[in-house]
Every structure is written in C-alpha cells, then in structure tokens.
Amino acid sequence: MEDISYLTDHYDKKIDRIKQINAPLNFVFITDQHNRLNEHDNGWAIRTTDTLTFELARNHIRSIQYILDRCPEISFVVSGGDVGNDYDPDDEAYKFSVREVYDELYKLSVPVHCVIGNHDDGFGNCADRGYDCRTHSILPDEMHEICMKYNPTKENYYYINVEPGYRFVFMNSVDLPYQFNSDGSYPFDWRLEISNKQAVWFEEEALNTNRKIIIFSHAPLHNAGIFGTEGMPLGIKPYDDTLNAPRILYDISRHKNVVANICGHVHFDNITYNDRLLTVSTLCSLVQEWCPACPRRDLGTITETAFDVFSIKEDMMYITRFGAGQDRETHILFEI
C-alpha cells in the first residue's frame, strides 16, 4: 500500500477551515481522475519530485478517508466522472482503470454518488484512435453495475433529498441512444447528450419539489463564459454543446428553486452565473497543466491532486480545496 502522507500531511489546516465554517451541509466533490492516463501517456507538463513516475487515483481517494475520519460533518462524496484511462488501447486495462477508481471510492466510510463522464464509455477514443467500440466501451448496464451503488433507480441518473432542505440531482451528460450500425459498432464519439427520457424525468420528477435543487453533471449545462471548454489558450466556447441542455436550462428558468450546477469536464476552476443559476466547475484530480493559467502540479506532492469539500451555509457556498488551486466562496442566489 502506498504511503499517502505526502498528501495528508497538508490536510489538517484545511480540515480546521471546514470546522470553523460550521455549515450544516458538507460534501466532497472529486472529478476527472483519468486514472492511469499519465502511466500510459505522460504528455502533460508535470514534474517528478521523488521515485514516483505517475500518480494513482486510488491514493487521492484514500486520502479522502483521512478527511472523513476527522470531519464527521461531511455526509457523502460526489464523483464527477471521467475516472479511467480510455486512451489505453488494451480493452481490459482501460476497464480496469475505471473499476479501480470505483472500488476505491466504495471503500470510503460515507455514501458515494456518481455521474458519468464523456471518457467513461470509451467511445471518444474509439473514434479518434480506431479502437473497436464493440469491445473498447462500457455500455449503460455495465456502467450502472460499476458506479451506481447508491442509486435507488435502474437509470444512470437519480436524485436524493438532503438536509437542510436540498434536493441533489445527479444527471447523466452521456445519456446516448446506444443504437448500433449494421456491423454491430456504435456511431458515437465525444457526444454529450441528455436524452429526452431523462429530460422528461427531470421535468416531471426531479423538479417536483419545494426543496432547493443543486444539479451535478459531468459537463456544464451552460458553457458560456466557462474557461476550459475548448480553444486553449483562449479556452472559452460561447454556446452549449450538450444536446438537450437548452431544454434543461429552460426548465431551470421556470423553477426558481434550482440554484446551482456543480460539474467537472473542463479541468479548470470556474464560478459563473447564468441569470441566477450558479455554475461551479472544479480542477481535475489528474496531474495535468493543460494551459498556462492552470496551477502548478508536481507529482509526489500535495499539488498532485485537486478536489474540494463544499460547505453550504445559508446563502453561501464555501469551497475548500485539497491539493492544487485555491479555496473559493460564492453566493447562492435564492429567489426573493
């Protein structure tokens, strides 16, 4: 078992911050681990400070237990998707990299709620690199078995009610029709989609509450002004690229109790508002500096990882960073 003190030795001050905030609702959000990508293809600008040659996502996840042991205030963990290494041409190695992350997540002492990322089903790199998507992919039923342990439904999206007075909705940004070609292959690549079925569920079930709603998704529901969506170094794409996301945003505009969207995907820390909808994206846990604006990442140090504890207290969201990057805080805009 790896020694993770190079991470946890830096955690106590952050844990003290969480306790001082004294919020009634606290949870961990970790996203975009891309487990074993740097083992397979270390093309990012990272530096090695000891004998390690690549990071393991299981170390970052194991370090979360150190926080949970000292912070009983934390109710659960949310995984934001893109957990494995679909760049590996070996089908079994790719699938192992996904299962390894979830096996580690489900060893934690609190529930772990998961959303699915665009790298998790494997279709994107099948299209880009010529892999056989009939074997190099994880289809919805297998995905459900791997990562939906705490999902009470048969779908790969669901919601839970949490106190004080919130509903957390876990949406699937890769809810594809999974129709195949005549040769049995699938015609998808990096497609992001919220299916009509999921949209109807969102409208008729998930929104049917007086509770305040926070939506978790891998990709942002609204990309305008989000740094990290494409086109580095500018990194801003002024439109929404998730199919059916405009429908979801329209629904949100008609329900004043939807207050925030928490997501990953863009590998960058953003806080934006679309009208009153707060969008928070989080830096990738993967050791990666994809553009000059990213914080420095050093393999084998505290900056090897990046994840947050979100603390919600009244109209404030306090975001405590473990690893690379900075603590943040922002307002939740409630309807007056």
Side-chain angles (χ1 to χ4, degrees):
M1 191 67 73
E2 296 86 3
D3 179 7
I4 58 171
S5 60
Y6 69 98
L7 300 173
T8 57
D9 283 350
H10 301 270
Y11 284 4
D12 289 348
K13 185 176 180 181
K14 298 291 188 174
I15 291 169
D16 288 343
R17 180 180 190 263
I18 295 166
K19 290 184 173 296
Q20 289 170 10
I21 293 170
N22 193 30
L25 177 55
N26 304 272
F27 58 90
V28 175
F29 183 72
I30 184 169
T31 190
D32 293 88
Q33 292 98 327
H34 293 279
N35 183 38
R36 296 184 178 271
L37 173 58
N38 283 327
E39 174 187 18
H40 174 68
D41 181 15
N42 187 348
W44 303 106
I46 60 173
R47 291 155 292 276
T48 303
T49 59
D50 59 14
T51 58
L52 294 175
T53 56
F54 58 91
E55 85 282 11
L56 287 170
R58 65 172 180 248
N59 289 347
H60 307 165
I61 297 165
R62 286 176 54 218
S63 78
I64 293 173
Q65 188 60 53
Y66 180 94
I67 303 166
L68 298 175
D69 289 342
R70 290 154 180 80
C71 258
E73 301 90 342
I74 296 174
S75 302
F76 51 87
V77 172
V78 179
S79 174
D82 278 8
V83 302
N85 176 23
D86 59 332
Y87 290 87
D88 195 313
D90 183 88
D91 301 340
E92 294 306 313
Y94 148 56
K95 293 181 180 181
F96 171 79
S97 72
V98 174
R99 286 185 176 272
E100 182 180 34
V101 172
Y102 286 112
D103 286 348
E104 221 41 65
L105 283 168
Y106 290 135
K107 291 177 185 177
L108 296 174
S109 60
V110 298
V112 179
H113 299 283
C114 301
V115 297
I116 298 169
N118 61 307
H119 279 271
D120 292 330
D121 62 14
F123 285 133
N125 275 312
C126 288
D128 283 359
R129 301 187 172 212
Y131 305 155
D132 186 347
C133 65
R134 292 169 295 183
T135 57
H136 196 87
S137 60
I138 300 176
L139 299 179
D141 288 347
E142 185 179 5
M143 189 70 73
H144 193 278
E145 179 266 323
I146 293 172
C147 71
M148 291 284 146
K149 179 178 179 179
Y150 291 95
N151 178 352
T153 81
K154 66 178 182 179
E155 307 294 347
N156 287 337
Y157 47 84
Y158 63 108
Y159 67 80
I160 60 170
N161 292 333
V162 298
E163 300 306 328
Y166 277 87
R167 172 168 291 182
F168 284 7
V169 178
F170 304 98
M171 300 200 73
N172 183 359
S173 301
V174 200
D175 192 13
L176 308 175
Y178 292 97
Q179 299 168 337
F180 50 84
N181 295 319
S182 58
D183 63 355
S185 65
Y186 293 89
F188 311 111
D189 44 45
W190 297 110
R191 179 163 153 186
L192 293 163
E193 179 174 353
I194 297 168
S195 68
N196 285 328
K197 181 180 178 181
Q198 184 180 177
V200 170
W201 166 84
F202 180 72
E203 293 159 354
E204 295 183 355
E205 295 187 41
L207 290 175
N208 186 19
T209 182
N210 291 324
R211 289 172 172 266
K212 297 180 285 291
I213 295 174
I214 293 179
I215 299 171
F216 294 85
S217 57
H218 176 67
L221 294 172
H222 186 69
N223 272 340
I226 296 286
F227 187 93
T229 48
E230 74 171 16
M232 188 275 287
L234 180 61
I236 293 177
K237 178 167 54 179
Y239 58 88
D240 301 293
D241 65 356
T242 300
L243 295 175
N244 247 1
R247 174 176 176 175
I248 300 302
L249 288 167
Y250 174 72
D251 294 330
I252 289 171
S253 72
R254 295 167 54 242
H255 291 77
K256 306 304 182 184
N257 56 330
V258 183
V259 296
N261 174 209
I262 298 174
C263 58
H265 184 54
V266 299
H267 292 208
F268 203 80
D269 290 329
N270 288 277
I271 292 177
T272 65
Y273 290 91
N274 175 30
D275 192 9
R276 60 188 162 70
L277 178 68
L278 166 66
T279 297
V280 179
S281 73
T282 295
L283 193 67
C284 54
S285 179
L286 170 73
V287 181
Q288 181 200 73
E289 299 169 18
W290 72 269
C291 76
C294 290
R296 181 184 174 104
R297 309 293 293 269
D298 288 298
L299 191 65
T301 77
I302 180 60
T303 63
E304 178 185 288
T305 192
F307 61 87
D308 295 301
V309 171
F310 282 71
S311 301
I312 297 176
K313 185 177 183 180
E314 298 174 348
D315 66 343
M316 290 297 298
M317 182 180 287
Y318 300 92
I319 307 168
T320 302
R321 171 58 49 84
F322 290 81
Q326 303 295 323
D327 298 339
R328 298 176 285 168
E329 58 184 62
T330 188
H331 284 273
I332 301 171
L333 301 181
F334 299 123
E335 184 74 3
I336 298 176

